[in-house]
Amino acid sequence: MSYSPHTAAMQLASASRGFDHLFANEISSAKKVFASENDPFHLVGAGCLCFLEASLGLETNKMTEATRLLALAEAGSRSALKAAAKSKTKASAAFPPGLEYEIANADTVVLLGISHALNESYMGYLQCIYAMNSAHGKFSKLYKTVFPNGLDSHTTPPLTPFSWTPSVTPSPADSPAITPKTSSSNLSLQPPTSSTISKTPPIRPPTKQSSSSFFGLASRWASGSSSSVSSSSSSSSSRLPSTPDGANETGNTEEIQNLKNLIIAGTAFGFGLFNLVFSLLPKRVQSVAGLFGFAHSRRLALEALSVSASYAAEGEVHGVFAGLVLMTYHGVVLLVSGYQADEARILREYENVVSGIEARYPKGALWILNRAKILRMTYDPESAIRVLKSGLEETKKDAENEHGEGFKQADTLLMFELAWIYLSQRQYAESAEAFIKLTELNSWSHGTYYFIAAGCHLSLALSDGVSPEEKEKYLNKAQELLDTIPNLVDKRKMGGKDLPTEVLIKKKLIFYKEKQKRRGGDETKFAQCIRISPAEELGIFWNTHSRISPSIAEAHIKEWSALSPPVGIDSPYMSHSNTKSEQSSTLPDLDTPDELALRFLLLGITHRSIGCVGLRLNRSPPSTEPASSSSSYVEPSISAPASDQTSSSQSFPEDLTRYEGNAPACLRASRELLNAAHALQPSIRVSTWIGGLAMFELAVLDLKEVEVEEKKEKENAASLEMSADFKKRWQSALKSARAKLDAAMALAPNSVDLSSRLDSRVAMLRDEISTKAEDIGVSL
């Protein structure tokens, strides 16, 4: 089959309509569009849709089908690329013929590679590297061709015709290999220098001749300037570069521009995603990746994704996916890194990306999810709950309209987020119900969901004021769920391996049974001996306790400190009575180093949460100026959609100022508690992950303490300039935190449960430390 730019453009336009249906939760309609043609774009669409279903729901049967479809798309794009390489016809003088198929081919490769990393095991990460090795050359070559002078100089597509050696190369006579014109400094995978990239990565899509920030672009989306592809002809012509004399372009202006948008946005997306994936792999795995010759720059990756995302307003598929990747990345950094060098900027950027795509697909579950995440990250869990519940109602209606086939996997994400928010708010009955509901929505680790739900019922049984009858009911329900778990975890495998969370759960079940037997109880009723909820324990890995309100933290502290033996560390909110154990038994509630260390860790995290309350207090007079890039984020200005804005004041009824006086004492207690958790590491038998996590949390505490002090000084100082003294204090804290991260990794070898997750968190926090050092101009 011969190459026709017009045909390629028409196929792309049709496949793009399928993606529009996908992003709007109209899965049945999307599948019909993708099944209507057999060209590379429709095959990639079908494979991508199935991949999303499989990855979002972690369903192995779907992943098998996704792999099959992506393999067909890969073969189809290679065949189309061969035909284009032989053709003399060009869609544009700016780019060689068939470059759009090269991008489609690279899309399939990276999706197949990412699937291996989803089980969070080191073997999965290594398989990801192996699978993506073939994509490395593709992305580098595409990047050099489309961005010969780097992203920073990208104001228009290159105007000179390129010679292109595709990945699938025909005979030399048909396609002489000529190296694209680049300079050795254009495309370094090392971090850009300060002269080429600012703190907010510059984005220069073809519509702009001058520099513009990501925030400006996202604001343009949010202001309603997003338009469909079919209505963008007038703006498209302004994006077209002038054509050199003697170069002919086939097809109409809109077709040419759509193909160019695909090439630019697709290249930026693929290159950015490829680098971001490697930057987020655990450091041990990155060292292996170095053997393949891989290098990465997370900052360059984020800049490339931002360039791609700027095309989302015109309906370019890669642009929308780039926005989704940026949303996911920002959400992960805010959730699990513990400290952000510039939280306010991340939140603004996150909000702008969400607003832009949300305006185009208001009913899309993925954008509803990220709206809720922003609200959660800005300490407005009640609004987040309303957004998620409303979103689930909308997707239910969509499923009915789609004859029962809505985007079930995206619904799973909404329910998953809702379940964790309920847990963070101590709404245990609602959280348990939501986690059990997840077993109906996807096939991922039902054992994990049951374990957390059982923990919620245990929390209800251990609550103050519960009657003996209610306590027995909750304990029986918890035991029932725990008894079901062994069959679930033995049945569920991913890639033939136990899931990391399930490995931990198996150990905990044995631990609980041994404790019950040791204490002379009925081993079949081991839920009776559990004093710290398994849900709260797993919540540590999802960093559930870092953004809770002071009142929630206080309730946790009183509950855990009331257990025997006494904590032995003083704080304003710690209970010293041990009334629960005095009423129930002469045996201590916690009788192993594992349990004592776990309590120290949880108490240390929750005390730090109260100690950092000053970061949420804003005593500065209202200002219309944007927040300083170095300022701490204060009470959120980001609100829920209009339908959820009942009363912003009702979202924050808690008087935060009443905790301010005790904040220094809580920070002191936090350090003592976390050090105590770490000190017990040599005695811990089962929960060997605690020592490493305690060191990580101490590193976060080092940074948070100085952040609190800095904010207080700025409130009292006439100038916002950082004093020399504070620079020294920051330098000392940054060095101390970095040393603690080294110690954390030394305590978390591969044999430690969920060590890969800690590894990723450490990598993110290291980046934030480096960013802060660069911002304030200190060396480490």
Side-chain angles (χ1 to χ4, degrees):
M1 175 185 261
S2 62
Y3 170 68
S4 165
H6 171 70
T7 300
M10 296 304 293
Q11 292 168 346
L12 174 62
S14 174
S16 295
R17 286 193 291 272
F19 278 104
D20 278 337
H21 288 304
L22 169 61
F23 298 141
N25 289 4
E26 299 164 358
I27 302 303
S28 179
S29 299
K31 287 182 177 179
K32 288 178 183 177
V33 171
F34 293 141
S36 65
E37 301 287 345
N38 202 36
D39 60 83
F41 300 124
H42 286 76
L43 288 172
V44 169
C48 184
L49 190 157
C50 196
F51 172 84
L52 283 175
E53 289 181 319
S55 58
L56 296 180
L58 291 176
E59 301 181 39
T60 52
N61 60 326
K62 288 277 188 181
M63 191 62 77
T64 301
E65 176 63 8
T67 301
R68 185 186 72 81
L69 291 171
L70 289 170
L72 289 175
E74 201 261 348
S77 58
R78 287 170 69 86
S79 177
L81 186 57
K82 283 182 179 180
K86 297 176 181 179
S87 174
K88 304 298 183 182
T89 306
K90 292 185 177 184
S92 168
F95 298 116
L99 195 60
E100 62 272 22
Y101 295 129
E102 183 80 15
I103 291 169
N105 185 265
D107 287 341
T108 62
V109 174
V110 73
L111 290 178
L112 288 168
I114 291 174
S115 65
H116 293 295
L118 293 178
N119 63 4
E120 293 186 285
S121 69
Y122 283 105
M123 180 57 67
Y125 292 136
L126 293 175
Q127 288 175 318
C128 172
I129 291 174
Y130 183 81
M132 294 180 72
N133 182 36
S134 63
H136 186 238
K138 295 177 186 290
F139 288 124
S140 295
K141 185 167 61 174
L142 282 166
Y143 186 97
K144 290 175 183 177
T145 300
V146 178
F147 304 104
N149 298 308
L151 292 169
D152 190 56
S153 61
H154 178 55
T155 55
T156 61
L159 299 182
T160 56
F162 277 103
S163 295
W164 172 252
T165 305
S167 294
V168 185
T169 310
S171 65
D174 292 329
S175 179
I178 301 176
T179 304
K181 182 169 64 177
T182 61
S183 69
S184 59
S185 62
N186 286 342
L187 191 59
S188 171
L189 291 183
Q190 301 304 314
T193 63
S194 57
S195 63
T196 61
I197 185 169
S198 61
K199 189 166 191 304
T200 301
I203 301 171
R204 296 176 171 89
T207 50
K208 300 290 183 183
Q209 295 296 326
S210 60
S211 301
S212 62
S213 70
F214 181 82
F215 307 133
L217 281 167
S219 297
R220 174 165 58 84
W221 299 349
S223 65
S225 62
S226 60
S227 58
S228 65
V229 176
S230 61
S231 62
S232 61
S233 297
S234 59
S235 63
S236 294
S237 58
S238 67
R239 294 176 69 114
L240 284 168
S242 58
T243 304
D245 292 340
N248 294 319
E249 296 187 341
T250 63
N252 63 42
T253 300
E254 183 177 341
E255 287 180 355
I256 296 169
Q257 187 60 50
N258 287 343
L259 288 175
K260 287 184 177 179
N261 289 352
L262 166 71
I263 291 168
I264 297 170
T267 299
F269 169 72
F271 183 81
L273 179 62
F274 185 85
N275 277 273
L276 185 62
V277 167
F278 278 113
S279 76
L280 293 176
L281 290 174
K283 289 298 180 184
R284 296 188 188 97
V285 180
Q286 286 184 17
S287 65
V288 176
L291 299 177
F292 289 85
F294 297 146
H296 65 80
S297 164
R298 188 174 302 178
R299 184 171 288 188
L300 183 60
L302 294 173
E303 183 184 358
L305 288 167
S306 297
V307 168
S308 180
S310 72
Y311 286 80
E314 296 180 32
E316 208 294 313
V317 172
H318 293 90
V320 179
F321 275 115
L324 178 60
V325 171
L326 287 170
M327 292 178 205
T328 303
Y329 173 76
H330 293 323
V332 169
V333 169
L334 289 167
L335 179 63
V336 301
S337 66
Y339 163 81
Q340 297 81 39
D342 191 348
E343 184 176 315
R345 179 191 59 80
I346 294 174
L347 283 162
R348 287 196 303 269
E349 185 169 342
Y350 192 6
E351 158 69 14
N352 288 336
V353 178
V354 172
S355 294
I357 301 181
E358 186 181 49
R360 185 177 181 88
Y361 307 104
K363 293 184 179 180
L366 295 174
W367 330 124
I368 294 171
L369 170 69
N370 281 281
R371 169 62 57 194
K373 284 186 175 183
I374 290 176
L375 291 165
R376 180 185 179 188
M377 293 302 105
T378 52
Y379 304 96
D380 191 357
E382 294 305 319
S383 291
I385 289 171
R386 289 197 299 271
V387 167
L388 290 168
K389 290 173 71 175
S390 176
L392 286 166
E393 286 296 320
E394 282 295 329
T395 56
K396 183 179 178 181
K397 293 177 184 176
D398 290 341
E400 292 172 354
N401 293 335
E402 286 273 297
H403 306 292
E405 189 174 10
F407 201 170
K408 186 181 72 171
Q409 289 75 20
D411 291 352
T412 302
L413 294 180
L414 298 182
M415 186 62 70
F416 188 76
E417 182 74 9
L418 183 61
W420 280 112
I421 296 178
Y422 278 141
L423 179 60
S424 72
Q425 294 302 104
R426 292 173 61 92
Q427 297 181 32
Y428 295 119
E430 294 85 350
S431 181
E433 182 182 357
F435 276 113
I436 294 300
K437 180 69 176 177
L438 283 168
T439 65
E440 302 171 12
L441 295 175
N442 76 354
S443 61
W444 186 75
S445 187
H446 289 183
T448 301
Y449 298 146
Y450 272 54
F451 192 67
I452 300 173
C456 291
H457 285 287
L458 283 167
S459 292
L460 291 168
L462 296 170
S463 299
D464 289 331
V466 65
S467 69
E469 294 77 18
E470 289 177 314
K471 180 174 182 178
E472 183 177 5
K473 180 187 73 173
Y474 293 134
L475 282 175
N476 289 340
K477 183 61 179 178
Q479 189 66 60
E480 177 188 332
L481 292 169
L482 292 170
D483 289 341
T484 308
I485 291 173
N487 288 334
L488 295 173
V489 297
D490 288 339
K491 183 189 308 180
R492 180 67 175 88
K493 304 287 183 184
M494 176 172 279
K497 303 286 185 179
D498 287 325
L499 291 171
T501 52
E502 294 185 351
V503 172
L504 173 65
I505 289 168
K506 286 180 179 180
K507 292 179 181 179
K508 293 298 294 186
L509 293 178
I510 295 172
F511 177 84
Y512 294 142
K513 290 178 181 178
E514 289 178 350
K515 179 180 179 180
Q516 180 73 345
K517 184 177 180 180
R518 185 175 64 248
R519 295 163 71 92
D522 184 351
E523 191 176 340
T524 64
K525 298 181 179 179
F526 62 87
Q528 295 175 345
C529 76
I530 303 174
R531 292 293 181 268
I532 297 178
S533 165
E536 302 292 356
E537 182 173 349
L538 281 191
I540 297 173
F541 294 100
W542 273 269
N543 210 23
T544 306
H545 307 94
S546 65
R547 291 181 183 266
I548 55 177
S549 67
S551 62
I552 295 289
E554 181 182 1
H556 280 312
I557 291 169
K558 290 187 181 301
E559 177 182 320
W560 294 325
S561 63
L563 300 173
S564 61
V567 176
I569 295 172
D570 291 328
S571 90
Y573 303 104
M574 211 98 77
S575 171
H576 303 284
S577 64
N578 300 129
T579 53
K580 291 184 180 179
S581 60
E582 291 169 1
Q583 293 172 0
S584 60
S585 172
T586 57
L587 293 172
D589 295 304
L590 312 176
D591 62 0
T592 63
D594 295 64
E595 293 171 302
L596 294 172
L598 176 60
R599 179 172 66 168
F600 280 137
L601 179 60
L602 284 164
L603 287 172
I605 295 170
T606 46
H607 273 85
R608 188 185 64 212
S609 181
I610 296 179
C612 293
V613 68
L615 296 175
R616 294 176 56 193
L617 294 170
N618 184 14
R619 294 186 180 81
S620 304
S623 172
T624 57
E625 295 297 319
S628 166
S629 63
S630 61
S631 65
S632 300
Y633 194 77
V634 294
E635 286 294 357
S637 58
I638 298 170
S639 58
S643 60
D644 292 297
Q645 294 177 6
T646 53
S647 172
S648 58
S649 63
Q650 292 177 5
S651 299
F652 301 93
E654 186 173 5
D655 179 13
L656 300 179
T657 57
R658 71 186 181 93
Y659 291 95
E660 187 179 16
N662 290 324
C666 286
L667 290 174
R668 173 195 53 76
S670 176
R671 186 169 297 279
E672 292 182 28
L673 290 159
L674 293 173
N675 277 322
H678 172 257
L680 284 173
Q681 182 67 15
S683 304
I684 293 174
R685 185 170 61 88
V686 176
S687 303
T688 53
W689 52 270
I690 290 179
L693 259 176
M695 289 306 295
F696 176 86
E697 299 295 352
L698 279 165
V700 173
L701 179 61
D702 284 344
L703 303 171
K704 287 290 187 179
E705 280 183 328
V706 183
E707 189 177 27
V708 169
E709 294 168 3
E710 180 187 23
K711 182 175 185 292
K712 191 177 296 182
E713 180 181 86
K714 285 182 177 180
E715 289 173 349
N716 299 327
S719 172
L720 291 179
E721 292 294 323
M722 183 180 294
S723 65
D725 176 59
F726 249 99
K727 277 193 176 183
K728 290 181 180 178
R729 290 164 77 177
W730 265 118
Q731 186 176 36
S732 176
L734 292 169
K735 287 182 176 180
S736 175
R738 197 165 63 171
K740 287 182 174 66
L741 294 182
D742 291 338
M745 292 311 302
L747 290 169
N750 293 3
S751 58
V752 169
D753 294 325
L754 290 170
S755 58
S756 63
R757 180 163 296 195
L758 175 61
D759 199 337
S760 296
R761 293 183 68 183
V762 167
M764 280 185 270
L765 186 53
R766 287 190 195 278
D767 281 350
E768 296 302 317
I769 289 172
S770 298
T771 299
K772 184 65 178 181
E774 181 183 342
D775 289 347
I776 62 178
V778 300
S779 59
L780 299 179

